[in-house]
Amino acid sequence: MSLNTQKASHIAQVLTEALPYIQRFSGKTLVIKYGGNAMIDETLKNSFARDVVLMKAVGINPVIVHGGGPQIGQLLAKIGKQSEFINGMRVTDTETMDIVEMVLGGQVNKSIVNLINNHGGRAVGLTGKDGSLIFAEKMKFASQEELGVDAPEMIDLGYVGRVTSIDTSVIDMLIHSDFIPVIAPIGVGQDGQSYNINADLVAGKIAEVLQAEKLILLTNTPGLLDADGALLTGLNAKQVNDLIASGVIYGGMLPKIGCALDAVQAGVTSSHIIDGRVQHAVLLEMFTDEGVGTLIRGGGR
């Protein structure tokens, strides 16, 4: 068998193995939180864009929610403003909120849209303010313990928000018109005030309201690891809660796991925390038995 024939045979085998997954997920909605290295490394960026376009081409409906923390930090540094974080959340005053809107709603959002379109897709960029997509309110904390800090007075994170409601009309319209929505995690209050919202939380809430088939969170880690560094997957809610109680899940992974868990408990079929540093990570998780991360499924409360 010639080298070209071997290559063609391998491609045919891959496509054949992917067919049952394509059939299973055709017509279903998939919400992807796009961030980390996958948003910075050029090879990974192009890999992600091709994956999204391919999914749409075979009848799956991807909805993208993106982050952009490093890009916000870079622009703040350029204007001489220091970034301040409390327990992983960016303190967002009026000036910082202006930068957040400029970077997330403009620079980052449009670059992702262009990338997908350049690979043959039809992407449309939104923020939570478009079509009254995401209503939000100021995130408040009852105690210092909730923030994990020791300070004499209450901490004010400024215009950091939490989702109060989502109107998916504009997403539904785009999906049914064969577009790929790309959403920046900015919400709006009842008074018109803009709020900076954690992208994982926005992705989770959108997945819940859409009753998506899957929520996929791209990270810079292989997924959820046990105490010995082995990858954990195929978990249900009870197992995840046990891992939190035992301290296996801690620190920066807690919010992601909490978001993934909330989604499946609210009706999303499964949540996935996957390694965005792997080329074609989304396709590998979707169309192979092995996957490349941690799967959390509904049930088992």
Side-chain angles (χ1 to χ4, degrees):
M1 185 181 289
S2 71
L3 188 61
N4 284 343
T5 305
Q6 286 179 333
K7 183 177 179 182
S9 177
H10 175 68
I11 292 171
Q13 183 180 350
V14 169
L15 290 172
T16 301
E17 289 178 357
L19 180 59
Y21 296 98
I22 293 171
Q23 291 172 324
R24 185 192 309 172
F25 300 129
S26 181
K28 302 293 178 65
T29 297
L30 172 73
V31 178
I32 306 171
K33 186 285 179 123
Y34 178 47
N37 277 30
M39 267 184 70
I40 299 169
D41 179 275
E42 286 300 321
T43 299
L44 294 174
K45 284 165 62 175
N46 285 290
S47 164
F48 174 79
R50 285 194 296 270
D51 289 358
V52 169
V53 173
L54 175 60
M55 283 188 288
K56 190 68 175 178
V58 298
I60 299 167
N61 298 316
V63 175
I64 315 302
V65 179
H66 65 83
Q71 293 90 334
I72 294 168
Q74 288 168 10
L75 188 51
L76 286 171
K78 281 184 180 178
I79 65 170
K81 190 173 181 68
Q82 187 173 356
S83 295
E84 183 183 353
F85 293 90
I86 296 175
N87 206 34
M89 290 177 285
R90 185 185 299 277
V91 177
T92 307
D93 60 14
T94 302
E95 186 178 33
T96 302
M97 190 65 233
D98 289 342
I99 296 296
V100 167
E101 290 204 75
M102 186 187 309
V103 173
L104 292 186
Q107 173 194 338
V108 174
N109 187 272
K110 300 314 172 193
S111 69
I112 297 168
V113 167
N114 287 337
L115 188 65
I116 293 171
N117 291 346
N118 286 341
H119 283 279
R122 299 173 72 215
V124 173
L126 306 164
T127 75
K129 298 172 75 172
D130 294 311
S132 298
L133 171 59
I134 303 172
F135 275 105
E137 65 181 13
K138 185 181 177 69
M139 186 177 281
K140 298 176 182 176
F141 298 91
S143 67
Q144 294 298 319
E145 287 75 19
E146 288 185 52
L147 282 170
V149 297
D150 180 19
E153 68 278 332
M154 286 295 291
I155 297 295
D156 185 353
L157 294 173
Y159 298 112
V160 173
R162 58 177 290 274
V163 176
T164 56
S165 66
I166 292 177
D167 182 345
T168 61
S169 301
V170 65
I171 299 177
D172 291 332
M173 179 192 69
L174 291 171
I175 287 175
H176 292 115
S177 300
D178 216 25
F179 289 99
I180 300 168
V182 178
I183 302 166
I186 298 167
V188 62
Q190 294 293 341
D191 59 355
Q193 173 61 51
S194 298
Y195 288 98
N196 181 17
I197 312 174
N198 177 277
D200 290 332
L201 297 178
V202 170
K205 292 298 182 185
I206 288 175
E208 290 176 22
V209 175
L210 291 175
Q211 288 293 280
E213 179 71 16
K214 292 179 180 290
L215 167 66
I216 294 183
L217 306 176
L218 288 173
T219 69
N220 286 340
T221 66
L224 178 60
L225 307 178
D226 66 14
D228 298 319
L231 182 67
L232 296 169
T233 191
L235 303 173
N236 60 33
K238 182 181 183 305
Q239 290 170 316
V240 171
N241 285 320
D242 288 345
L243 290 168
I244 293 172
S246 66
V248 172
I249 304 174
Y250 65 94
M253 187 57 77
L254 273 171
K256 287 187 186 299
I257 289 290
C259 168
L261 191 56
D262 287 347
V264 296
Q265 290 180 323
V268 176
T269 305
S270 61
S271 293
H272 307 253
I273 298 174
I274 69 173
D275 194 344
R277 301 168 300 178
V278 176
Q279 280 195 59
H280 303 295
V282 176
L283 290 189
L284 289 169
E285 187 64 32
M286 288 283 294
F287 298 151
T288 68
D289 289 330
E290 295 81 9
V292 289
T294 296
L295 179 150
I296 300 172
R297 59 180 182 270
R301 298 189 183 195

